[in-house]
Amino acid sequence: MYLDRVRAAREVQKKEKLDALLFFGLPVIRYLCGFTGTDGVLLMTESESVFLTDSRYKQQAVEQVSADRIVCYKNKFPGLIEELKEQNLVRVGFDAEKLYVSDFNVLTKIADEQMEWIPLDEPLRALRACKQESELDALRKAAALNKAAFEQVLPRIVPGVTERFIALELEVALKRLGGECNAFDFIVASGKRGALPHGVASGKTLEIGDLVTIDFGTRVDGYYSDETITLALGEIDGKLRQIFDIVLKAHDLALEAVRPGIEICELDAVARNYISKQGYGDYFGHGLGHGVGLEIHEYPAVSPRTDALLEEGMVITIEPGIYLPGIGGVRIEDTVVVTADGCEALTGIPKQLYQIETV
Ligand code: ZN
Ligand code: ZN
C-alpha cells in the first residue's frame, strides 16, 4: 500500500528535478508511511525513504512506520539538516502548506548556502485526492457513525434544550459508537443564529419555529466524516421553508452533476446558479464543498476558483447554503465519492425537511 503511494510522490520529485522531498504535514506523513504520532519529518530521496522523529516516538515509529530507515534526532531542524548534508542533498522540495514561516527561517539559517528550497503545494496535496478502497472503508465507517449517532440524539432535539446540549449529545454518541475524536467544533445554529455559516453551538435554547442547522463529524482510522442537516422545530415560517427547498434542490442538482471529468468550478456553478436564479445568490458566500480524507478540509476545494477536473475516487462534500441575516439559514451537506459514472453518497441521513413535533 505505502509503496504505491511513495512511488507517486517520487514522480513529483522526478518532475521537479529534486534531490529530496520533505514532508512536514502529519496527514501526508501518515499517508506515505503510516506514522500516527504528532511530530516527525519524512525525507524521500531517489533511492530511499527516511523517517525522522524524536525519542518520544522511537518505539512507535519502529512499530508503525514503513520506511527504509528511522532516524532519531535530538533537535528537529539541526537533525534534519545533518541528514541532508550527509547525503549531499541540495535541491530540496517540501510541503509548503504545513511548514510555519518561523520554522522555515530556522531551517534555511542552519542549512548550507547552496541548498535550494522548493516549496510545493498542489502537486503534493493532489497525491491524496483519489482514495483507495481501504481509505473508502474508513470514510464509510465514519459516515455510518454520523447516521447512527444522529438517530440516537434526534429524540432529544426539542424546544428548550441548548445548542451546546445537542453538540454534546452528538459527541458522546459518536464516541460511544467508536469515533476517535470530533472532526471539528460542531455547528448547531438555530433560529437567527442559522444565518452564521460557522455558528458553533452556543448557549441559545431551541425555540418552536426555529430551523436548526447541525454540522458534525467524527474520525475512524484517521479519516473524517462531515455532514450537515437542517431540521424544523415545529411549524416554520414560509420564508424559511422557501430557502430550505431552494438549498435542497441545489444540493440535489449538484449531486446529480458529480462525475469524473467535470470541471470542479463547473460543479460549484450548478448549485450556485440555481440559488442565484431564485434570487439568493448574495446569501451563499462559501464554496460548494471540499475534499475530505485524513484532513477534514483537503484538496480539492469545490469552489468557483478551482479549475481542476473531478476524478474517480475523489471524496468531496456538497454543501450549499443560504444565510439570511436577522432571519435564519439553511445548509445541507453530504460527503460523496466520485464513481465511474456519478457518485455514491457516504453520508446517509435523509436530507428532506424533517419537522420535529412540538406539542
Ligand atoms: Zn460540515
Ligand atoms: Zn464540510
Side-chain angles (χ1 to χ4, degrees):
M1 178 169 83
Y2 295 114
L3 285 180
D4 284 345
R5 297 176 181 181
V6 167
R7 207 171 292 139
R10 284 222 167 88
E11 290 299 317
V12 177
Q13 187 182 335
K14 220 181 280 170
K15 204 171 153 217
E16 304 288 335
K17 299 186 171 57
L18 304 168
D19 296 331
L21 248 182
L22 288 177
F23 294 93
F24 295 99
L26 294 168
V28 72
I29 288 175
R30 179 171 186 163
Y31 183 77
L32 291 171
C33 75
F35 180 70
T36 64
T38 61
D39 207 0
V41 186
L42 183 66
L43 160 65
M44 282 174 38
T45 67
E46 214 176 303
S47 58
E48 65 168 1
S49 62
V50 185
F51 181 68
L52 301 97
T53 190
D54 63 65
S55 60
R56 290 173 301 165
Y57 288 117
K58 192 176 177 187
Q59 186 58 31
Q60 184 177 342
V62 168
E63 286 165 17
Q64 280 187 329
V65 168
S66 163
D68 299 306
R69 276 193 299 131
I70 292 167
V71 171
C72 218
Y73 49 67
K74 275 210 179 67
N75 292 306
K76 186 171 182 171
F77 295 123
L80 176 59
I81 293 295
E82 201 180 298
E83 186 67 34
L84 295 173
K85 279 185 188 168
E86 261 172 33
Q87 296 196 52
N88 207 18
L89 303 168
V90 174
R91 194 174 150 80
V92 180
F94 63 99
D95 56 340
E97 195 193 14
K98 299 295 183 186
L99 189 65
Y100 288 117
V101 173
S102 54
D103 288 341
F104 179 71
N105 289 342
V106 171
L107 259 181
T108 48
K109 203 172 166 189
I110 59 177
D112 280 350
E113 256 178 35
Q114 79 267 21
M115 275 186 186
E116 276 180 83
W117 297 88
I118 318 295
L120 295 168
D121 196 14
E122 187 163 324
L124 297 183
R125 288 193 287 144
L127 286 177
R128 291 186 286 137
C130 296
K131 271 61 180 178
Q132 295 158 323
E133 210 41 56
S134 61
E135 300 183 275
L136 291 175
D137 274 354
L139 287 159
R140 277 195 191 95
K141 280 182 197 152
L145 294 194
N146 263 42
K147 184 160 191 259
F150 184 73
E151 283 165 1
Q152 287 180 11
V153 172
L154 186 56
R156 276 163 261 165
I157 304 177
V158 292
V161 302
T162 64
E163 294 173 351
R164 241 178 242 137
F165 170 82
I166 295 167
L168 179 62
E169 292 289 300
L170 282 169
E171 175 174 351
V172 171
L174 285 165
K175 286 187 177 161
R176 280 218 181 95
L177 289 161
E180 293 166 355
C181 62
N182 291 349
F184 45 84
D185 280 341
F186 296 165
I187 290 161
V188 182
S190 63
K192 288 178 186 169
R193 289 194 78 249
L196 306 169
H198 270 200
V200 170
S202 77
K204 177 189 172 299
T205 53
L206 306 193
E207 289 164 46
I208 294 173
D210 280 355
L211 274 180
V212 187
T213 299
I214 304 173
D215 188 349
F216 70 113
T218 187
R219 199 180 76 181
V220 172
D221 296 334
Y223 288 81
Y224 289 101
S225 57
D226 190 7
E227 185 168 23
T228 307
I229 174 112
T230 299
L231 304 163
L233 222 61
E235 291 293 330
I236 53 167
D237 102 10
K239 183 90 168 169
L240 294 176
R241 176 73 213 212
Q242 186 199 11
I243 61 169
F244 181 92
D245 290 341
I246 294 168
V247 172
L248 183 61
K249 179 78 178 169
H251 160 273
D252 292 351
L253 288 171
L255 281 186
E256 282 167 29
V258 173
R259 59 179 161 77
I262 188 175
E263 271 194 78
I264 290 172
C265 54
E266 197 187 320
L267 175 62
D268 178 279
V270 169
R272 196 168 303 282
N273 291 348
Y274 179 75
I275 289 173
S276 294
K277 264 192 212 135
Q278 309 304 314
Y280 290 98
D282 291 342
Y283 303 96
F284 174 30
H286 57 76
L288 180 63
H290 52 87
V292 181
L294 286 166
E295 288 176 282
I296 183 68
H297 291 122
E298 62 179 40
Y299 181 88
V302 183
S303 90
R305 294 171 299 281
T306 308
D307 50 14
L309 301 182
L310 210 55
E311 293 175 51
E312 187 176 351
M314 282 181 172
V315 171
I316 56 167
T317 67
I318 299 290
E319 49 181 308
I322 294 177
Y323 311 93
L324 302 179
I327 298 174
V330 175
R331 178 167 64 259
I332 297 172
E333 175 181 29
D334 275 306
T335 302
V336 306
V337 54
V338 182
T339 59
D341 55 0
C343 71
E344 170 204 332
L346 303 178
T347 41
I349 303 171
K351 297 302 183 301
Q352 66 272 25
L353 187 63
Y354 185 87
Q355 201 163 345
I356 292 169
E357 301 274 343
T358 53
V359 272

